[in-house]
């Protein structure tokens, strides 16, 4: 995983709540056995017309949002299925930061495994960020994970909370599995205790 | 200390709590299907890591498999490849796989309980959000992403943040014709699809105790639609009776030992929950969803709401866009909504009991003109049991299609899908835009309500049917 670096980027706005993972990546694209290439299908049913052409009405098709790395969205983003294809598609499309008031649980976890920073803000903060983007489409925000800060030219910047463990992993780009395997002795010791306490779970 | 069931399971599965890191939780059972696992196996190969405990895994093929003409090769080449890759991955790693030719094949969350693979007090994961189903057994069961599937295969552990606890109490007895599905939808209607975010829900109360194991699975299955990490129901005599004698259930002397442990699991008297929600069972009418989120749901005797009836801007907007997508007008009676398609099946309502109830309603009726109705058993075991009881004949005589098992139209990955604008009465769990086919319109209901709608051609109040 690429380490997450401080960056300045266009912030794209999707003023929609309860965006589910079926919309982020519709199921017809879940049959691939690789991790790559899902960005081409991100928000497929909203993004493209029936004939495959771009739907000009869809927010992310606006020229002002081209190249955005930051996605500002409404409440409860990523609800529904556990498919990690959703964050794969988001990252592959080019986003590395999402700003919303809330996320569905599994989606939130999946983001961190894929170098995506999901930032939580209050409803008021979200409204002022949305107003700033609406007033000045193509506006660029600075995201500084190290200092847990977002800076905007319109003065709607803020600091945000994030779990220090997850922050560390994003900054270092560290492999989660490697980190767990550092505790392999403790895992083995747990398994020995577990076998004694619950022998029926280990019967084969 | 008075502990909740969740806290007891958490404590007994805590492997290490290292400074500055998320606690590591041990995983007892890992369930697998073909859609969310291939990239995890690829990851293991790339890092030269092995599956730590192959016996903890049970795998099936369900999401992209056809539900008819199974003797033919899968027509969709990408789906065929996914199924082949699954078979190779399971073979290479020595995993127990119920493939398409196996008599145990079916939807993962239907198959696993049939074999007693999940017991009370376990930690269970699967790359599938409906893993919450197994909370019906008093197991902490939750969906994970593919990176986590890889993580669990390699380490048998997961870094986890401890959840908050929510008690959802359903007081009193459920009225006749209201089911576990209606409880699930009524709860989501009350707390919303984000109401349970950050929580593990424990369901309790008289109406929950009264549910069969299958009903409990239906209810816990939809904990995820309420936003919760997992749903839990305390194990009791029904749980033990369901498990006893099943292939992977404890045998012989181990049974008594396991029982003693299971009986220690229910939340202690006076245990504190972070949130409590109560509903009166008597108020739960048969539910029908009208929108594009499971929280957009109402009793069958109600009307399609108008955007103005919502007290906040977000919900008003969501209602407007849902009505536009669903092609519905405010104040239309739910029972006046005509349908084109009926689907009974899925990990929510694809068990034998669901087909018994639906067959009872369908018996002697005919599917209304112009309607396609499909019954898709959750597994071959369900299918064969239903056939032994003659349920297949009831459906077929009533004009239904009787299919082979799979996820089918719950997520429409396998070619079973709605066309644009078609409206479906569905026993599945999600009514998202496009879930059952691009432009398709889904109404979530119980199996009895679906069967009644098939006969009438529109929704009907099952309480006045027949």
């Amino acid at each position: 995983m690429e380490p997450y670096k401080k960056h300045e980027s266009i912030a794209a706005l999707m003023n929609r709540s309860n965006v589910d993972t079926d919309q982020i990546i519709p199921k017809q694209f879940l049959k691939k056995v690789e991790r790559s290439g899902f960005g081409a299908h991100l928000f497929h049913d909203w993004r493209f017309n029936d004939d495959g052409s771009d739907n000009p009405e869809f927010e992310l098709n606006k020229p002002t949002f081209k190249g955005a790395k930051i996605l500002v969205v409404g409440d409860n983003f990523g609800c529904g299925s556990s498919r990690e294809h959703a964050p794969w598609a988001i990252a592959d499309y080019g986003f590395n930061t999402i700003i919303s008031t809330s996320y569905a649980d599994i989606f939130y976890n999946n983001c961190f495994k894929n170098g995506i920073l999901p930032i939580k803000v209050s409803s008021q903060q979200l409204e002022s960020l949305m107003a700033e983007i609406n007033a000045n489409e193509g506006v660029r925000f600075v995201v500084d994970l190290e200092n847990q800060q977002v800076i905007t030219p319109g003065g709607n910047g803020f600091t945000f909370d994030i779990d220090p463990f997850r922050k560390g992993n994003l900054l270092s780009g560290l492999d989660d599995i490697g980190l767990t395997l550092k505790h392999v002795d403790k895992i083995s010791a747990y398994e020995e205790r577990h076998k004694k306490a619950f022998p029926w779970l280990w019967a084969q | 200390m008075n502990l909740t069931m969740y806290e007891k399971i958490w404590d007994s599965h805590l492997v290490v709590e290292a400074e500055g890191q998320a606690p590591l939780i041990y995983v007892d059972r890992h369930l697998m299907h073909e859609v969310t696992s291939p990239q995890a196996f690829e990851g293991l190969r790339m890092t030269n890591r092995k599956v730590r405990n192959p016996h903890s895994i049970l795998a099936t093929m369900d999401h992209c498999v056809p539900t008819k003409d199974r003797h033919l090769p899968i027509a969709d080449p990408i789906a065929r490849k996914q199924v082949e890759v699954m078979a190779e991955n399971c073979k290479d790693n020595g995993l127990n796989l119920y493939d398409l030719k196996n008599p145990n094949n079916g939807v993962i969350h239907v198959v696993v309980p049939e074999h007693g693979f999940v017991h009370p007090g376990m930690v269970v994961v699967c790359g599938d959000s409906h893993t919450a189903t197994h909370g019906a057994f008093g197991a902490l069961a939750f969906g994970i992403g593919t990176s986590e599937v890889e993580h669990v295969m390699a380490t048998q552990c997961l870094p986890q943040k401890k959840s908050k606890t929510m008690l959802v109490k359903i007081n009193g007895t459920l009225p006749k014709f209201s089911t576990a599905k209606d409880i699930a939808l009524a709860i989501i209607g009350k707390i919303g699809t984000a109401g349970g975010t950050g929580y593990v829900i424990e369901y309790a109360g008289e109406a929950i105790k009264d549910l069969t194991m299958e009903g409990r699975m239906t209810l816990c299955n939809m904990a995820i639609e309420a936003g919760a990490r997992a749903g839990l129901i305390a194990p009791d005599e029904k749980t033990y009776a369901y498990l006893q004698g099943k292939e992977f259930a404890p045998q012989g002397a181990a049974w008594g030992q396991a029982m003693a442990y299971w009986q220690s699991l229910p939340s202690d008297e006076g245990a504190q929950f972070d949130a409590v929600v109560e509903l009166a069972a008597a108020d739960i009418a048969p539910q029908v969803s009208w929108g594009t989120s499971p929280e957009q749901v109402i009793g069958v005797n109600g009307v399609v709401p108008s955007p103005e009836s919502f007290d906040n801007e977000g919900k008003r907007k969501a209602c407007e866009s849902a009505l536009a997508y669903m092609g519905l007008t405010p104040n239309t009676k739910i029972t006046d909504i005509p349908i084109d398609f009926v689907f009974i099946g899925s990990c929510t309502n694809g068990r034998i009991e669901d087909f018994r109830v639906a067959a009872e309603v369908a018996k002697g009726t005919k599917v209304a003109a112009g309607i396609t109705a499909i019954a898709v058993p959750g597994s071959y075991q369900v299918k064969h049991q239903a056939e032994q009881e003659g349920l297949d004949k009831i459906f077929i005589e009533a004009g239904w299609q009787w299919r082979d098992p799979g996820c089918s139209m719950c997520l429409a990955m396998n070619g079973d899908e709605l066309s644009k604008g078609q409206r479906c009465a569905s026993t599945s769990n999600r009514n998202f835009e496009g879930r059952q086919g691009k432009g398709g319109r889904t109404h979530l209901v119980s199996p009895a309500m679906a069967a009644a709608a098939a006969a009438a051609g529109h929704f009907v109040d099952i309480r006045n049917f027949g």
Side-chain angles (χ1 to χ4, degrees):
Chain A
M1 203 166 76
E2 288 280 303
Y4 189 99
K5 295 200 181 78
K6 178 176 170 177
H7 63 98
E8 186 190 60
S9 152
I10 293 172
L13 172 62
M14 276 177 70
N15 188 4
R16 303 176 189 236
S17 298
N18 293 318
V19 172
D20 57 72
T21 51
D22 278 80
Q23 290 309 327
I24 297 173
I25 182 83
K27 73 260 167 182
Q28 63 266 38
F29 305 110
L30 303 186
K31 293 172 199 162
K32 286 162 65 105
V33 293
E34 304 86 21
R35 266 178 208 247
S36 52
F38 289 98
H41 313 298
L42 179 70
F43 297 119
H44 179 276
D45 289 359
W46 287 337
R47 189 170 145 197
F48 302 108
N49 294 316
D50 286 348
D51 63 5
S53 59
D54 281 2
N55 169 12
E57 303 288 307
F58 180 57
E59 296 91 318
L60 298 187
N61 285 336
K62 290 183 182 177
T64 40
F65 290 155
K66 280 276 172 288
K69 282 185 184 302
I70 304 165
L71 179 63
V72 178
V73 286
D75 309 337
N76 195 29
F77 188 68
C79 58
S81 146
S82 66
R83 61 188 69 159
E84 197 162 324
H85 311 67
W88 292 339
I90 289 170
D92 190 48
Y93 183 87
F95 290 115
N96 70 358
T97 309
I98 308 174
I99 301 178
S100 174
T101 55
S102 55
Y103 303 87
D105 208 22
I106 303 176
F107 176 81
Y108 186 74
N109 288 328
N110 282 340
C111 283
F112 290 97
K113 319 285 182 200
N114 293 284
I116 300 168
L117 169 64
I119 298 175
K120 290 182 189 169
V121 294
S122 69
S123 305
Q124 273 178 331
Q125 282 172 323
L126 185 68
E127 272 173 35
S128 37
L129 293 172
M130 284 181 171
E132 182 169 349
I133 298 171
N134 278 330
N136 182 17
E137 275 188 11
V139 63
R140 299 170 76 88
F141 295 174
V142 175
V143 184
D144 179 357
L145 174 57
E146 183 76 53
N147 294 304
Q148 299 176 211
Q149 245 188 343
V150 173
I151 302 159
T152 79
N156 291 305
F158 57 92
T159 57
F160 56 87
D161 287 333
I162 184 164
D163 177 82
F165 173 67
R166 289 177 151 156
K167 175 182 170 181
N169 287 358
L170 273 183
L171 286 172
S172 63
L174 204 67
D175 169 6
D176 255 13
I177 298 180
L179 210 61
T180 294
L181 286 174
K182 283 186 183 167
H183 300 293
V184 70
D185 292 348
K186 292 202 169 94
I187 297 172
S188 299
Y190 176 89
E191 283 175 336
E192 287 314 308
R193 291 199 304 277
H194 198 260
K195 276 178 198 169
K196 287 202 181 89
F198 312 108
W200 64 90
L201 294 185
W202 295 82
Q204 282 159 20
Chain B
M1 193 55 176
N2 301 322
L3 297 175
T4 63
M5 185 160 49
Y6 170 70
E7 288 160 335
K8 292 181 193 184
I9 300 174
W10 174 275
D11 289 349
S12 67
H13 286 78
L14 191 60
V15 174
V16 53
E17 214 169 356
E19 181 71 30
Q21 290 185 15
L24 274 189
I25 293 297
Y26 195 75
V27 174
D28 299 302
R29 293 288 188 257
H30 189 178
L31 321 176
M32 223 172 254
H33 64 74
E34 76 280 16
V35 173
T36 55
S37 62
Q39 293 89 351
F41 285 105
E42 183 195 12
L44 286 186
R45 277 192 295 273
M46 280 159 57
T47 49
N48 204 18
R49 287 172 176 141
K50 295 260 171 302
V51 176
R52 188 172 173 88
N53 182 5
H55 296 286
S56 69
I57 297 174
L58 188 65
T60 188
M61 296 165 168
D62 54 9
H63 278 59
C64 73
V65 305
T67 55
K68 55 182 179 185
D69 300 328
R70 279 274 180 100
H71 58 286
L72 301 173
I74 300 179
D76 174 354
I78 315 173
R80 191 165 68 230
K81 169 109 189 275
Q82 202 165 47
V83 160
E84 285 165 5
V85 167
M86 182 76 189
E88 277 166 35
N89 283 330
C90 289
K91 187 162 172 264
D92 292 350
N93 292 281
L95 309 182
N96 193 2
L97 168 69
Y98 297 157
D99 67 16
L100 293 184
K101 298 215 160 59
N102 192 305
N104 294 334
N105 176 261
V107 177
I108 188 77
H109 306 307
V110 176
V111 159
V112 159
E114 284 174 343
H115 298 277
F117 194 61
V118 167
H119 314 163
M122 283 181 167
V123 170
V124 181
V125 300
C126 175
D128 190 290
S129 59
H130 290 109
T131 310
T133 308
H134 310 284
F137 291 85
L140 177 61
F142 53 90
I144 57 177
T146 300
S147 294
E148 291 172 313
V149 169
E150 183 183 339
H151 198 126
V152 175
M153 283 200 283
T155 70
Q156 211 60 37
C157 293
L158 262 187
Q160 280 294 297
K161 196 171 165 241
K162 198 168 177 181
S163 299
K164 293 180 284 182
T165 54
M166 180 187 285
L167 177 68
V168 174
K169 234 179 132 198
I170 312 294
N171 299 313
T173 6
L174 209 56
K176 199 179 173 195
F177 299 114
S178 291
T179 65
K181 180 65 163 286
D182 302 302
I183 301 180
L185 288 169
I187 293 168
I188 298 160
K190 185 178 165 91
I191 71 173
T193 52
T197 304
Y199 291 94
V200 165
I201 294 176
E202 181 174 337
Y203 300 98
E206 201 183 338
I208 306 298
K209 279 202 186 76
D210 288 347
L211 291 177
T212 60
M213 285 314 292
E214 287 163 332
R216 292 176 190 184
M217 287 186 239
T218 300
L219 178 60
C220 288
N221 172 277
M222 289 191 71
I224 187 73
E225 271 66 49
R229 188 118 186 89
L232 279 173
I233 293 174
D236 62 10
E237 294 307 321
K238 285 183 188 170
T239 322
Y240 313 142
Y242 183 97
L243 281 172
Q244 196 159 27
K246 293 221 157 49
E247 183 183 354
F248 296 106
Q251 313 286 339
W255 176 259
Q257 210 179 347
M259 278 274 283
Y261 171 61
W262 297 343
Q263 283 163 346
S264 74
L265 288 167
S267 294
D268 297 329
E269 190 107 2
Q272 291 296 309
F273 290 83
D274 296 305
V276 178
V277 174
E278 295 197 49
L279 269 81
D283 296 343
I284 300 176
Q287 304 281 303
V288 181
S289 74
W290 52 266
T292 53
S293 163
E295 71 185 36
Q296 293 171 323
V297 67
I298 196 161
V300 62
N301 46 343
V303 296
V304 174
S306 64
E308 299 79 52
S309 65
F310 292 93
D311 55 9
N312 84 55
E313 169 70 26
K315 290 209 163 148
R316 268 196 295 278
K317 231 181 121 196
C319 176
E320 265 170 31
S321 74
L323 294 185
Y325 181 85
M326 296 295 288
L328 292 173
T329 336
N331 302 317
T332 306
K333 279 173 146 180
I334 294 292
T335 49
D336 285 346
I337 301 174
I339 54 163
D340 309 296
F341 215 105
V342 183
F343 168 62
I344 297 185
S346 85
C347 62
T348 309
N349 280 127
R351 300 187 177 79
I352 187 65
E353 190 180 286
D354 300 313
F355 291 98
R356 284 183 189 138
V357 170
E360 198 177 317
V361 176
K363 194 169 190 172
T365 67
K366 285 279 176 227
V367 169
I371 290 181
T372 309
I374 67 171
V376 184
S379 70
Y380 274 125
Q381 271 201 16
V382 170
K383 187 175 190 218
H384 294 148
Q385 177 67 32
E387 287 170 357
Q388 271 174 18
E389 296 176 21
L391 306 184
D392 58 325
K393 288 196 184 67
I394 295 176
F395 284 112
I396 292 166
E397 275 164 23
W400 288 67
Q401 298 177 29
W402 181 247
R403 299 281 187 95
D404 280 324
C407 298
S408 181
M409 275 190 56
C410 177
L411 83 168
M413 262 188 87
N414 71 332
D416 299 343
E417 62 180 354
L418 298 178
S419 334
K420 199 168 184 174
Q422 273 190 324
R423 190 182 296 285
C424 181
S426 178
T427 67
S428 55
N429 41 59
R430 288 188 179 135
N431 51 345
F432 298 154
E433 282 184 29
R435 173 87 177 177
Q436 294 192 301
K438 193 174 178 181
R441 294 158 171 168
T442 305
H443 294 269
L444 304 175
V445 289
S446 73
M449 285 283 288
H458 53 83
F459 292 106
V460 283
D461 190 336
I462 185 71
R463 293 169 296 189
N464 313 322
F465 183 73

